[in-house]
Amino acid sequence: MITKIKLVKLSLIGFRKDYIVDFKDGLNYITGPTSTGKSSIVEMINYAFGSKNHKDYIEIRENCTEVALEFFIGEELIKIVRPLFSFDRPAKIYRWDVLNQDFPKFFELKEIDIPSNENSLSAFLLKELGLDNIKAANQAFSFRDLFKYAYLKQTEIDNENIQNEKYSDKSLKRKPTFEIMFNIYDEILADLKANLKLKKEQIVELIKKKNSIYEFLKNLELIDLEAFIKQKTELMRILDKKKQILYGIKSKGKTDDSMSFKLEKEINNYKNELSHLDLKIKEQKEYIDKL
């Protein structure tokens, strides 16, 4: 079973205030005018996940000290904190404390290094995802290999050599990396299909049980849902007929207060009966569903 990553919050820790981006469930998109920080958000996520460096943002340098990324790996909430502009310093890893509903003060230190270093951030992420000990082109598969193909900088989008595919020595891991990624998606898709099939079978089984319960209660004369529905249908037919008569009288401009009053009273009585029947039908359906 593949373990999934879900982003929760990106924070730039500032001297005076923090700059925060919250992520929602499902698809998130970042939009805005030019030079408003859209690419910076993605690059800071990239950096938090272990990129060797980031751009020299003047405003960020003047106002912020660290980047913090909160995300789920499976069911566990984790936070990575990395110093900005200090690329060789290790990252801090915090695990959510369910009991106290907060991140604790203590943390693990992870080096910014290749996954063969067991104490590296890359090795930590791969292990949490269940992707450790994987080889790509006889080389250690790293979290950076997984992430870099999911993010392209604006300056690289129109580049004909986006991932250095023209140079075999630089793109040696490219094909096996994509194979690993597609195998992951195939496994996720297979799990979803299996779950969908199981849910459909469960629904069919529950409908059968519901029908069996209904027939059992009906035979014991504990419920009479069909009779109530039939009675409701007949009442609605009579009510429509009475309404047509009343509308006919009023549309012809003939006034017969006694007849109109009598029809209106009958119509109200039928409406009350219908409301009462609707309540009984609802109660019996809820009773069957509960059983």
Side-chain angles (χ1 to χ4, degrees):
M1 182 68 180
I2 295 298
T3 304
K4 300 177 185 177
I5 284 182
K6 185 177 75 171
L7 301 183
V8 176
K9 182 167 69 175
L10 175 73
S11 304
L12 291 179
I13 312 301
F15 295 108
R16 292 179 295 277
K17 67 174 183 176
D18 298 341
Y19 302 86
I20 297 172
V21 178
D22 291 311
F23 299 96
K24 298 181 180 180
D25 289 340
L27 177 66
N28 288 258
Y29 62 92
I30 303 168
T31 183
T34 304
S35 300
T36 54
K38 300 184 298 297
S39 297
S40 303
I41 292 172
V42 182
E43 188 170 9
M44 285 297 118
I45 295 171
N46 191 15
Y47 180 68
F49 276 139
S51 178
K52 289 183 179 179
N53 52 45
H54 58 72
K55 291 180 182 178
D56 188 12
Y57 297 101
I58 297 174
E59 290 185 8
I60 293 178
R61 181 185 286 275
E62 292 176 350
N63 294 286
C64 303
T65 58
E66 294 177 315
V67 59
L69 181 65
E70 297 176 27
F71 58 98
F72 279 100
I73 293 186
E75 300 297 322
E76 185 175 16
L77 183 59
I78 292 173
K79 179 168 69 173
I80 296 175
V81 178
R82 273 193 79 181
L84 294 165
F85 307 99
S86 298
F87 307 133
D88 295 330
R89 290 175 59 190
K92 299 175 184 177
I93 305 295
Y94 298 85
R95 297 179 183 271
W96 182 257
D97 187 338
V98 178
L99 184 63
N100 295 315
Q101 290 295 294
D102 198 1
F103 287 107
K105 292 182 179 180
F106 57 86
F107 53 82
E108 305 170 50
L109 283 176
K110 298 297 177 183
E111 299 171 22
I112 309 303
D113 199 358
I114 57 177
S116 57
N117 178 350
E118 294 184 358
N119 196 43
S120 68
L121 177 59
S122 181
F124 166 79
L125 291 168
L126 287 174
K127 186 176 181 181
E128 292 292 321
L129 287 168
L131 296 174
D132 49 334
N133 300 320
I134 294 178
K135 295 285 185 180
N138 293 320
Q139 300 178 49
F141 181 69
S142 71
F143 186 80
R144 300 297 315 132
D145 292 323
L146 183 67
F147 191 81
K148 70 182 179 181
Y149 293 111
Y151 165 55
L152 287 177
K153 297 178 182 178
Q154 184 69 37
T155 53
E156 296 174 344
I157 290 176
D158 296 325
N159 190 340
E160 294 181 0
N161 189 30
I162 288 178
Q163 297 296 347
N164 291 309
E165 55 266 40
K166 289 185 178 180
Y167 307 102
S168 59
D169 59 326
K170 292 185 178 180
S171 61
L172 190 64
K173 294 174 70 177
R174 185 171 181 266
K175 183 179 178 181
T177 296
F178 273 111
E179 288 176 351
I180 291 169
M181 292 171 68
F182 287 134
N183 286 337
I184 290 171
Y185 287 124
D186 284 342
E187 187 175 335
I188 292 172
L189 183 60
D191 287 341
L192 289 173
K193 286 182 177 179
N195 288 334
L196 180 61
K197 182 180 178 182
L198 180 62
K199 292 297 181 184
K200 286 181 177 180
E201 291 173 353
Q202 289 175 344
I203 289 172
V204 171
E205 189 63 28
L206 286 172
I207 290 173
K208 287 181 180 178
K209 288 182 179 179
K210 180 180 177 180
N211 291 337
S212 298
I213 291 170
Y214 172 71
E215 291 299 325
F216 175 74
L217 294 174
K218 181 181 175 182
N219 291 333
L220 291 178
E221 297 183 353
L222 293 176
I223 62 169
D224 199 359
L225 186 58
E226 289 180 359
F228 285 146
I229 294 174
K230 186 176 180 181
Q231 189 177 350
K232 177 183 176 180
T233 303
E234 180 62 19
L235 276 175
M236 289 179 68
R237 186 189 67 78
I238 296 172
L239 181 60
D240 287 340
K241 189 174 181 180
K242 296 289 184 181
K243 284 181 177 179
Q244 288 175 7
I245 295 171
L246 180 62
Y247 294 153
I249 293 172
K250 291 184 176 181
S251 63
K252 291 178 181 178
K254 296 180 179 179
T255 56
D256 189 335
D257 292 340
S258 60
M259 184 177 290
S260 297
F261 180 76
K262 182 181 178 182
L263 281 169
E264 288 174 354
K265 188 176 180 180
E266 288 178 357
I267 288 170
N268 284 331
N269 288 336
Y270 283 126
K271 285 182 177 179
N272 290 334
E273 287 187 49
L274 278 173
S275 297
H276 185 63
L277 278 173
D278 281 336
L279 182 60
K280 284 187 175 181
I281 291 170
K282 181 182 177 183
E283 287 175 349
Q284 293 213 348
K285 284 183 176 179
E286 288 177 350
Y287 179 60
I288 293 169
D289 289 340
K290 188 180 293 184
L291 291 175

